[in-house]
Structure formats: structure tokens, C-alpha cells
Amino acid sequence: MEKFGKRFDGKVAIVTASTQGIGFGIAERLGLEGAAVVISSRRQKNVDEAVKKLKDRGIEVTGLVCHVSNEQHRKDLIKNTIEKYGKLDVVVCNAAANPSVDGILETKEPVLDKLWEINVKTSILLLQEAAPHLNKGSSVVFVSSIAGFHPPKGLAMYGVTKTALLGLTKALAAEMAPDTRVNCVAPGFVPTHFASFLTKNEEMRKSLEENTLLNRLGTTQDMAAAAAYLASDDAAYVTGETIIVAGGTPSRL
Ligand code: NAP
């Protein structure tokens, strides 16, 4: 079994969209390091299964249905967390959608609205609910993407919403300082359900791997390690930053 520190002993963490993939990996890592974690996603069945997996690993966990677009779900997520644990230390905004592979100029208005809503706006609305409960030393982590740096064909508008999170990280870091730090993880490609349309294609997968310096795709644990660092006191003097976790995929200087 992995050996982790206990950087989150006594802390309470919400991770959105966390019943599988990167969100689940982040919740698991925070939980293994001692946090009480509140996980959620759209489907009760997925929530129940993920809660069981985390409990089986000895993690203190609460699971709720929360479709991030649903105002009542967002309110309930915060309310239930505070009622159960009395405080909130970490919020990881991980939910995203990529409903279309169309070029930006071909993307229909409802799709543009959905991308903006799920990938950017709902994180802001959730943080508006969460902010009154965030104490000194608390932390927010956004999950952007390598696609936010170079929005690629087929992921262009999705990439632009992820670029917006880089700005949101800077803006909220200023607005929420000094009590709350705000940072961001920009994952490279990770073979989750979300990315399966790319990573299940052998040729595409190979080209994504070759585009890294480390010759492999990322893992959910790679992303969780970075998110846990940013959320922890190890990053006590880090705010407004984005860590790219993409195996050296070209991104920025
Ligand atoms: P994933 O494995 O497909 O998991 C998505 C999770 O989100 C599931 O638990 C799903 O459960 C939940 N979910 C989906 N829509 C939701 C909504 N509207 N409200 C609440 N929960 C929702 O996805 P992933 O690859 O881990 O992606 C997580 C984040 O990483 C996203 O922000 C994505 O943009 C980012 N990212 C991923 C990659 C990659 O290569 N995988 C690369 C860069 C960035 P339900 O179905 O039960 O709702």
C-alpha cells in the first residue's frame, strides 16, 4: 500500500465531479492523507460506489448527488458539509464537459453555453456558496488542462474554457487573499472515461504519448499528487499559480 503523509489531518475537503477519474483520484489522495472528503457527481449509483471504495480504504467520506449546474445541489453540497463536519478547508473544482468536437465557429450557441456553464461558471457559483465558510489557511484548486495553453483542434472551445480557469485562478487568488489560496492543476492527457475518445484510439494514444517527454500518458494519481500539494500547507506560499502535470508536453516557457 502507498505511504503518504498526513497533511490533511483534521481538514475537510470538497471535490466536485469526484466519483471517478481525476476527481476520484484527488478525493482518494486527500482522504488517505487524513482529510474528511465530500464527494459528488450526477448519479446516485456512482456516488454510492465511490463512497464504498473510499470507505474500504479507511477514508472518512460523505457522498452526495451534485450536478454542478443545479443551484440546489450546490447549496446542499455546502450545507451538508458544514452540518456534518462544521467547517471547510479545501474546495477542488474538477467538473467539466466537452460536448462537441466542432470548430469554434461551427459550435452552436447551446453548446457554447454549456461549455461556459459547466467548465467555468458553476465553479464560480459554487465558490460563492463556499466562500463564507472558508477559514484562514484554506485552499481552492481548479482543474484546467494542457488544452488551456494550446486549445487543439477538436478540443478548441473546451480548451478556451480551460484558458479562462487560468485567469480565474489569478483573479480569485487576489480576491480571496490572504486567508484562502487559489491554485490550479493543468493535466495532460489521462486515460479516463472523459478522454477515452482520444486515448482508446491506438494511433492517437501513441501520438499523445510521443508528445510528452516522459513517453506516457498521465495517471489520476499524478494529478492527485499535484492537487494535494497545492491544497496542502506545503504550498503555503503559493497562490495564483497553475502547475502543468503533462509529462513535458509543450505548454509554455
Ligand atoms: P471522468 O473520468 O470522465 O470523470 C468525470 C466525473 O465527473 C465523474 O465522476 C462524473 O460522474 C462526474 N461528472 C460529469 N459531469 C458532471 C456534472 N455536470 N456535475 C457533477 N459531476 C459530473 O473525467 P476526468 O478525465 O477525470 O476529468 C476530470 C477533470 O479533468 C475535468 O475538469 C477535465 O476537463 C480535466 N482534464 C482531464 C484530462 C484527461 O485527459 N482525462 C486532461 C485535462 C483535464 P457522473 O457521471 O455520475 O456525473
Side-chain angles (χ1 to χ4, degrees):
M1 201 194 261
E2 314 92 325
K3 283 260 181 284
F4 296 125
K6 284 284 177 192
R7 292 179 293 185
F8 297 97
D9 260 348
K11 306 261 185 185
V12 179
I14 287 177
V15 184
T16 65
S18 45
T19 56
Q20 63 176 358
I22 292 168
F24 180 84
I26 295 172
E28 182 179 46
R29 175 71 187 249
L30 298 179
L32 288 172
E33 290 209 41
V37 290
V38 181
I39 64 161
S40 59
S41 77
R42 293 167 300 180
R43 294 185 187 87
Q44 186 70 55
K45 181 174 171 289
N46 294 347
V47 172
D48 293 343
E49 285 171 9
V51 164
K52 184 176 180 317
K53 279 190 208 154
L54 294 175
K55 280 200 169 144
D56 287 349
R57 300 213 63 190
I59 291 168
E60 169 58 40
V61 55
T62 298
L64 287 155
V65 168
C66 175
H67 187 317
V68 291
S69 294
N70 184 312
E71 183 182 3
Q72 195 55 51
H73 287 182
R74 290 193 304 268
K75 282 185 188 302
D76 289 346
L77 182 65
I78 303 298
K79 187 166 163 276
N80 278 280
T81 303
I82 299 301
E83 274 175 12
K84 179 147 187 195
Y85 297 113
K87 65 186 201 118
L88 179 57
D89 303 289
V90 176
V91 181
V92 181
C93 296
N94 170 65
N98 182 31
S100 154
V101 292
D102 290 342
I104 292 175
L105 298 182
E106 282 78 49
T107 304
K108 302 272 186 290
E109 189 171 350
V111 176
L112 291 173
D113 288 345
K114 184 170 182 188
L115 278 160
W116 158 248
E117 179 177 314
I118 307 272
N119 298 4
V120 184
K121 191 176 88 174
T122 58
S123 293
I124 298 171
L125 294 172
L126 182 69
L127 291 173
Q128 288 178 354
E129 287 295 328
H133 305 285
L134 287 169
N135 301 314
K136 191 165 177 45
S138 56
S139 173
V140 171
V141 179
F142 290 111
V143 179
S144 174
S145 169
I146 189 76
F149 289 87
H150 292 280
K153 200 163 173 267
L155 287 172
M157 194 55 217
Y158 161 84
V160 173
T161 62
K162 293 297 191 176
T163 312
L165 293 182
L166 310 180
L168 188 60
T169 300
K170 290 279 182 210
L172 283 182
E175 204 169 307
M176 298 176 86
D179 287 350
T180 304
R181 296 178 302 101
V182 182
N183 291 293
C184 179
V185 175
F189 289 93
V190 182
T192 62
H193 175 71
F194 185 79
S196 58
F197 74 107
L198 295 170
T199 56
K200 284 213 164 128
N201 174 320
E202 208 38 56
E203 210 175 306
M204 178 66 81
R205 184 188 169 106
K206 208 161 166 282
S207 119
L208 292 173
E209 282 170 355
E210 282 168 358
N211 209 23
T212 72
L213 299 178
L214 303 180
N215 295 321
R216 67 169 177 88
L217 300 182
T219 65
T220 57
Q221 290 88 349
D222 291 328
M223 307 310 142
Y229 162 69
L230 289 172
S232 78
D233 289 345
D234 282 346
Y237 200 49
V238 180
T239 194
E241 295 299 335
T242 296
I243 297 186
I244 299 167
V245 188
T249 303
S251 54
R252 62 177 178 199
L253 272 183

